[in-house]
Amino acid sequence: MELFLAGRRVLVTGAGKGIGRGTVQALHATGARVVAVSRTQADLDSLVRECPGIEPVCVDLGDWEATERALGSVGPVDLLVNNAAVALLQPFLEVTKEAFDRSFEVNLRAVIQVSQIVARGLIARGVPGAIVNVSSQCSQRAVTNHSVYLVMTSMGQATWSDPHKAKTMLNRIPLGKFAEVEHVVNAILFLLSDRSGMTTGSTLPVEGGFWAC
């Protein structure tokens, strides 16, 4: 199915690893013009080698002022993928102020800030656009030690590397497997494209039936 993303300028946060990196690679393959945002320069350097022509921006989105400086003059953006996140896993009774603040700075506040920057540009230009926010299954279902945060990224592999822990979770997923990066990337591309033109303010689960259990 043609998604008609060629030539459109897309900003992707959390582009260095996992879902964000997979999204950049897929968008680059469609001919989209990608602004890749990551806090890790080495990840951006390797991504530029893989996807020549993308625009790398290195910034810690948890820093409001640095983000404003880095993205405030990024130029016209047609589509946005808010994907950057941290996962600081602690039991509920042991969640620290530092973990809470860091999680909300990156996982929530940065989403608002970057969305404001892009939305202002779209409104000023008088053009339509799309914003896709990537979240976690833990936003809808309780998972042990995920009070302030399940896809099989490198982060997910670290979390679910214990076979016993993984089996407990897999038993709750009707399809019997964790989502892979490409499953989420495919959903993101659909939501960015005009094919989803009548989809708005919606949650699209990519979770193998986990929410139904």
Side-chain angles (χ1 to χ4, degrees):
M1 181 173 67
E2 178 59 58
L3 298 177
F4 304 106
L5 294 172
R8 305 188 75 178
R9 197 157 182 254
V10 191
L11 192 153
V12 181
T13 70
K17 298 180 175 69
I19 293 169
R21 192 180 188 95
T23 300
V24 170
Q25 292 166 335
L27 286 167
H28 181 261
T30 71
R33 299 157 55 210
V34 184
V35 179
V37 180
S38 172
R39 64 178 176 174
T40 307
Q41 187 63 55
D43 289 340
L44 289 173
D45 291 343
S46 63
L47 188 57
V48 168
R49 289 193 293 270
E50 292 176 24
C51 303
I54 67 169
E55 304 169 53
V57 176
C58 188
V59 65
D60 181 350
L61 295 177
D63 184 329
W64 183 279
E65 289 74 22
T67 298
E68 195 65 39
R69 289 193 299 270
L71 299 181
S73 58
V74 74
V77 173
D78 303 305
L79 308 166
L80 168 62
V81 180
N82 283 309
N83 169 75
V86 295
L88 306 175
L89 308 183
Q90 297 173 324
F92 174 70
L93 295 180
E94 299 173 19
V95 172
T96 63
K97 177 184 181 297
E98 291 75 19
F100 182 92
D101 288 348
R102 180 61 177 166
S103 295
F104 273 71
E105 286 167 359
V106 178
N107 297 6
L108 177 61
R109 194 182 70 185
V111 171
I112 295 171
Q113 183 183 18
V114 178
S115 296
Q116 286 177 336
I117 292 170
V118 172
R120 288 188 188 114
L122 291 170
I123 293 168
R125 291 158 56 211
V127 297
I131 297 175
V132 177
N133 298 322
V134 180
S135 184
S136 167
Q137 297 177 36
C138 305
S139 67
Q140 301 292 324
R141 293 292 183 273
V143 179
T144 302
N145 295 346
H146 287 65
S147 299
V148 293
Y149 183 74
L150 299 168
V151 174
M152 201 48 68
T153 61
S154 56
M155 185 187 297
Q157 290 168 353
T159 303
W160 303 107
S161 58
D162 181 337
H164 176 72
K165 182 179 179 182
K167 184 176 186 300
T168 301
M169 180 57 66
L170 289 171
N171 287 340
R172 298 172 61 187
I173 301 176
L175 292 187
K177 59 184 179 181
F178 290 109
E180 298 290 343
V181 168
E182 65 179 300
H183 297 133
V184 183
V185 169
N186 289 338
I188 291 171
L189 294 188
F190 167 70
L191 292 172
L192 289 174
S193 77
D194 293 338
R195 298 290 187 179
S196 64
M198 285 297 288
T199 302
T200 184
S202 301
T203 299
L204 178 59
V206 184
E207 38 66 87
F210 176 62
W211 290 9
C213 296

